[in-house]
Amino acid sequence: MMARALTIAGSDSGGGAGIQADLKTFMAFSVFGMSAITAITVQNTVGVERVQALDPEVVGAQIDAVTRDLGTDAIKIGMLFSKPIIEVVAERLRQWPGIPVVLDPVMRAKGGAPLLDPGAEKALRDVLLPLATVVTPNLPEASALVGFPVQTRADMQKAAHVLENLGVPFVLIKGGHLADEEAVDLLLHEGRETWLSAPRIETLHTHGTGCTLSSAIAAGLARHDNIEQAISTAKEYVTQAIRHAPGLGHGHGPLLHHWGQSPWI
């Protein structure tokens, strides 16, 4: 049977992030993608102009509809926006305890627009984190989750252990905001730290990198790769998607998700 993955996330009208990025990534990995939309965003490469959250019951109904018919081998979670949506998603995840869950704790857009209600951060940490298999925060998201600034490699190590103690088996803290010459991430599992490095590509065209990385990890898990391999493959995939970015828009442009098959290359 073809591998299947479900993304639970917001819609990006610009096509660079959210469910659009997730579905493109699933396709690049030959995984059949499904979606449960949590919010509609009005955005492009310049910024987010408006956010309209969906009724939490509609979010839950989408999840129910696809899982009872098509099933899924992995779940990626992105923008959830509100505490009621987080609670509905958590309720559904408890019904599928054997399915790996990749949680990208989306809180702000690339341009800084808020994508999570301030009151929802506690629910994300206390309700959803313990249900995740992998969590993939960047430095600002990690800071919000652990309650102290995460700005250095030492901070990343400290934050990773805090998140692991909250019940997440695999913690991947993304170091893209560091001033390092390389893009360095920290993976923590069962107390063992692994640093993952890739060349830092100086470009504005990085819109949707977090969504793409987490959905690539979910695609690997849907194909039954082990988690370390799924993460390593996902990081390389994102690096190449940035390298081959098509240069669209007037702001933070999208990646090229199908770089491996593109006739432009």
Side-chain angles (χ1 to χ4, degrees):
M1 179 182 293
M2 185 176 189
R4 305 147 297 169
L6 167 64
T7 170
I8 305 171
S11 171
D12 172 9
S13 55
I19 63 161
Q20 286 82 357
D22 298 340
L23 294 175
K24 291 173 187 178
T25 302
F26 293 161
M27 183 172 290
F29 280 80
S30 298
V31 171
F32 183 78
M34 301 159 288
S35 63
I37 301 174
T38 59
I40 306 296
T41 69
V42 179
Q43 67 172 297
N44 50 32
T45 67
V46 178
V48 178
E49 300 174 13
R50 185 176 176 183
V51 176
Q52 179 64 57
L54 271 66
D55 185 321
E57 291 186 6
V58 175
V59 176
Q62 292 177 81
I63 299 170
D64 293 340
V66 296
T67 53
R68 70 169 173 257
D69 177 35
L70 298 161
T72 187
D73 299 296
I75 297 171
K76 175 261 168 80
I77 298 175
M79 174 187 177
L80 297 176
F81 190 72
S82 71
K83 179 181 177 183
I85 292 177
I86 290 172
E87 291 172 341
V88 163
V89 171
E91 178 187 359
R92 297 315 193 275
L93 294 182
R94 294 187 189 102
Q95 299 173 15
W96 297 85
I99 296 177
V101 175
V102 181
L103 173 60
D104 181 19
V106 175
M107 296 181 183
R108 288 190 175 272
K110 185 73 68 179
L115 300 177
L116 182 70
D117 280 346
E121 290 182 4
K122 186 176 188 301
L124 182 65
R125 181 179 62 248
D126 297 345
V127 177
L128 208 56
L129 267 180
L131 299 174
T133 309
V134 188
V135 64
T136 63
N138 59 27
L139 300 193
E141 291 161 351
S143 300
L145 290 172
V146 301
F148 57 81
V150 181
Q151 300 172 336
T152 66
R153 290 198 186 200
D155 294 338
M156 291 170 67
Q157 292 172 296
K158 181 179 176 183
H161 286 275
V162 171
L163 293 175
E164 184 181 50
N165 289 336
L166 290 174
V168 188
F170 291 83
V171 178
L172 180 68
I173 298 186
K174 299 173 295 188
H177 290 80
L178 291 175
D180 289 26
E181 293 183 0
E182 292 190 317
V184 181
D185 303 333
L186 173 62
L187 174 63
L188 177 69
H189 173 58
E190 294 183 343
R192 180 170 61 89
E193 299 175 359
T194 303
W195 291 96
L196 306 171
S197 298
R200 182 179 294 276
I201 301 169
E202 296 300 331
T203 177
L204 278 178
H205 302 296
T206 57
H207 180 53
T209 50
C211 303
T212 301
L213 179 71
S214 54
S215 55
I217 296 170
L221 298 180
R223 301 191 310 181
H224 304 295
D225 295 345
N226 67 57
I227 294 183
E228 289 90 345
Q229 182 59 51
I231 291 172
S232 176
T233 301
K235 187 170 177 65
E236 172 62 19
Y237 169 75
V238 170
T239 299
Q240 294 301 328
I242 296 172
R243 189 184 304 280
H244 296 104
L248 301 176
H250 297 88
H252 295 284
L255 317 183
L256 187 66
H257 293 87
H258 61 290
W259 58 267
Q261 298 83 36
S262 174
W264 305 345
I265 301 171

